[in-house]
mmCIF file of all heavy atoms in Angstrom:
data_model
loop_
_atom_site.group_PDB
_atom_site.id
_atom_site.type_symbol
_atom_site.label_atom_id
_atom_site.label_comp_id
_atom_site.label_asym_id
_atom_site.label_seq_id
_atom_site.Cartn_x
_atom_site.Cartn_y
_atom_site.Cartn_z
ATOM 1 N N VAL W 273 11.298 11.060 -8.774
ATOM 2 C CA VAL W 273 10.709 9.725 -8.669
ATOM 3 C C VAL W 273 9.519 9.765 -7.717
ATOM 4 O O VAL W 273 8.463 9.189 -7.985
ATOM 5 C CB VAL W 273 11.754 8.699 -8.157
ATOM 6 C CG1 VAL W 273 11.079 7.399 -7.761
ATOM 7 C CG2 VAL W 273 12.826 8.446 -9.204
ATOM 8 N N LEU W 274 9.684 10.499 -6.594
ATOM 9 C CA LEU W 274 8.597 10.561 -5.616
ATOM 10 C C LEU W 274 7.378 11.287 -6.182
ATOM 11 O O LEU W 274 6.242 10.889 -5.946
ATOM 12 C CB LEU W 274 9.081 11.232 -4.325
ATOM 13 C CG LEU W 274 10.171 10.446 -3.596
ATOM 14 C CD1 LEU W 274 10.705 11.226 -2.417
ATOM 15 C CD2 LEU W 274 9.655 9.090 -3.131
ATOM 16 N N ASP W 275 7.627 12.330 -6.963
ATOM 17 C CA ASP W 275 6.504 13.020 -7.615
ATOM 18 C C ASP W 275 5.780 12.070 -8.564
ATOM 19 O O ASP W 275 4.551 12.026 -8.618
ATOM 20 C CB ASP W 275 7.001 14.226 -8.429
ATOM 21 C CG ASP W 275 7.491 15.345 -7.521
ATOM 22 O OD1 ASP W 275 7.075 15.367 -6.352
ATOM 23 O OD2 ASP W 275 8.294 16.174 -7.987
ATOM 24 N N TYR W 276 6.586 11.316 -9.295
ATOM 25 C CA TYR W 276 6.040 10.357 -10.255
ATOM 26 C C TYR W 276 5.185 9.316 -9.536
ATOM 27 O O TYR W 276 4.088 8.968 -9.987
ATOM 28 C CB TYR W 276 7.217 9.699 -10.975
ATOM 29 C CG TYR W 276 6.877 8.585 -11.930
ATOM 30 C CD1 TYR W 276 6.248 8.854 -13.139
ATOM 31 C CD2 TYR W 276 7.218 7.269 -11.645
ATOM 32 C CE1 TYR W 276 5.961 7.833 -14.036
ATOM 33 C CE2 TYR W 276 6.945 6.244 -12.529
ATOM 34 C CZ TYR W 276 6.320 6.525 -13.718
ATOM 35 O OH TYR W 276 6.048 5.520 -14.604
ATOM 36 N N PHE W 277 5.689 8.849 -8.389
ATOM 37 C CA PHE W 277 4.950 7.870 -7.592
ATOM 38 C C PHE W 277 3.572 8.432 -7.214
ATOM 39 O O PHE W 277 2.554 7.758 -7.330
ATOM 40 C CB PHE W 277 5.750 7.519 -6.335
ATOM 41 C CG PHE W 277 5.066 6.542 -5.420
ATOM 42 C CD1 PHE W 277 5.143 5.183 -5.656
ATOM 43 C CD2 PHE W 277 4.346 6.986 -4.315
ATOM 44 C CE1 PHE W 277 4.515 4.275 -4.818
ATOM 45 C CE2 PHE W 277 3.712 6.085 -3.469
ATOM 46 C CZ PHE W 277 3.809 4.727 -3.722
ATOM 47 N N ARG W 278 3.575 9.711 -6.783
ATOM 48 C CA ARG W 278 2.295 10.328 -6.401
ATOM 49 C C ARG W 278 1.376 10.469 -7.607
ATOM 50 O O ARG W 278 0.179 10.201 -7.518
ATOM 51 C CB ARG W 278 2.542 11.683 -5.745
ATOM 52 C CG ARG W 278 3.010 11.545 -4.296
ATOM 53 C CD ARG W 278 3.116 12.900 -3.621
ATOM 54 N NE ARG W 278 4.316 13.594 -4.014
ATOM 55 C CZ ARG W 278 5.469 13.531 -3.330
ATOM 56 N NH1 ARG W 278 5.552 12.829 -2.240
ATOM 57 N NH2 ARG W 278 6.533 14.185 -3.747
ATOM 58 N N GLU W 279 1.944 10.864 -8.739
ATOM 59 C CA GLU W 279 1.124 10.992 -9.957
ATOM 60 C C GLU W 279 0.490 9.651 -10.312
ATOM 61 O O GLU W 279 -0.699 9.563 -10.579
ATOM 62 C CB GLU W 279 2.000 11.399 -11.152
ATOM 63 C CG GLU W 279 2.243 12.871 -11.288
ATOM 64 C CD GLU W 279 3.291 13.123 -12.375
ATOM 65 O OE1 GLU W 279 3.178 12.542 -13.472
ATOM 66 O OE2 GLU W 279 4.241 13.875 -12.104
ATOM 67 N N LEU W 280 1.322 8.612 -10.318
ATOM 68 C CA LEU W 280 0.809 7.291 -10.689
ATOM 69 C C LEU W 280 -0.221 6.792 -9.681
ATOM 70 O O LEU W 280 -1.212 6.180 -10.070
ATOM 71 C CB LEU W 280 1.937 6.276 -10.800
ATOM 72 C CG LEU W 280 2.654 6.151 -12.137
ATOM 73 C CD1 LEU W 280 3.546 4.914 -12.125
ATOM 74 C CD2 LEU W 280 1.692 6.057 -13.308
ATOM 75 N N SER W 281 0.002 7.056 -8.372
ATOM 76 C CA SER W 281 -0.995 6.601 -7.379
ATOM 77 C C SER W 281 -2.334 7.231 -7.684
ATOM 78 O O SER W 281 -3.367 6.607 -7.526
ATOM 79 C CB SER W 281 -0.653 6.974 -5.944
ATOM 80 O OG SER W 281 0.691 7.030 -5.705
ATOM 81 N N ALA W 282 -2.294 8.509 -8.121
ATOM 82 C CA ALA W 282 -3.551 9.207 -8.374
ATOM 83 C C ALA W 282 -4.239 8.664 -9.626
ATOM 84 O O ALA W 282 -5.462 8.644 -9.693
ATOM 85 C CB ALA W 282 -3.297 10.697 -8.521
ATOM 86 N N MET W 283 -3.461 8.209 -10.605
ATOM 87 C CA MET W 283 -4.110 7.787 -11.850
ATOM 88 C C MET W 283 -4.176 6.269 -12.022
ATOM 89 O O MET W 283 -4.671 5.777 -13.020
ATOM 90 C CB MET W 283 -3.416 8.419 -13.056
ATOM 91 C CG MET W 283 -1.946 8.087 -13.194
ATOM 92 S SD MET W 283 -1.130 9.159 -14.398
ATOM 93 C CE MET W 283 -1.413 8.234 -15.894
ATOM 94 N N ARG W 284 -3.727 5.529 -11.001
ATOM 95 C CA ARG W 284 -3.601 4.083 -11.201
ATOM 96 C C ARG W 284 -4.923 3.404 -11.568
ATOM 97 O O ARG W 284 -4.919 2.389 -12.265
ATOM 98 C CB ARG W 284 -2.981 3.405 -9.975
ATOM 99 C CG ARG W 284 -3.819 3.504 -8.725
ATOM 100 C CD ARG W 284 -3.114 2.889 -7.545
ATOM 101 N NE ARG W 284 -3.066 1.445 -7.583
ATOM 102 C CZ ARG W 284 -3.047 0.672 -6.494
ATOM 103 N NH1 ARG W 284 -3.078 1.229 -5.300
ATOM 104 N NH2 ARG W 284 -3.001 -0.622 -6.589
ATOM 105 N N HIS W 285 -6.035 3.955 -11.104
ATOM 106 C CA HIS W 285 -7.306 3.291 -11.403
ATOM 107 C C HIS W 285 -7.859 3.666 -12.769
ATOM 108 O O HIS W 285 -8.886 3.171 -13.195
ATOM 109 C CB HIS W 285 -8.317 3.572 -10.302
ATOM 110 C CG HIS W 285 -7.854 3.036 -8.979
ATOM 111 N ND1 HIS W 285 -7.672 1.688 -8.757
ATOM 112 C CD2 HIS W 285 -7.459 3.666 -7.855
ATOM 113 C CE1 HIS W 285 -7.199 1.508 -7.533
ATOM 114 N NE2 HIS W 285 -7.060 2.698 -6.965
ATOM 115 N N ASP W 286 -7.176 4.582 -13.453
ATOM 116 C CA ASP W 286 -7.647 4.980 -14.784
ATOM 117 C C ASP W 286 -6.773 4.412 -15.893
ATOM 118 O O ASP W 286 -6.944 4.744 -17.056
ATOM 119 C CB ASP W 286 -7.645 6.512 -14.906
ATOM 120 C CG ASP W 286 -8.419 7.157 -13.778
ATOM 121 O OD1 ASP W 286 -9.484 6.620 -13.447
ATOM 122 O OD2 ASP W 286 -7.948 8.163 -13.221
#
Side-chain angles (χ1 to χ4, degrees):
V273 168
L274 296 174
D275 290 338
Y276 175 71
F277 179 83
R278 282 186 282 267
E279 275 171 47
L280 273 191
S281 329
M283 59 193 272
R284 64 183 287 210
H285 298 296
D286 307 319

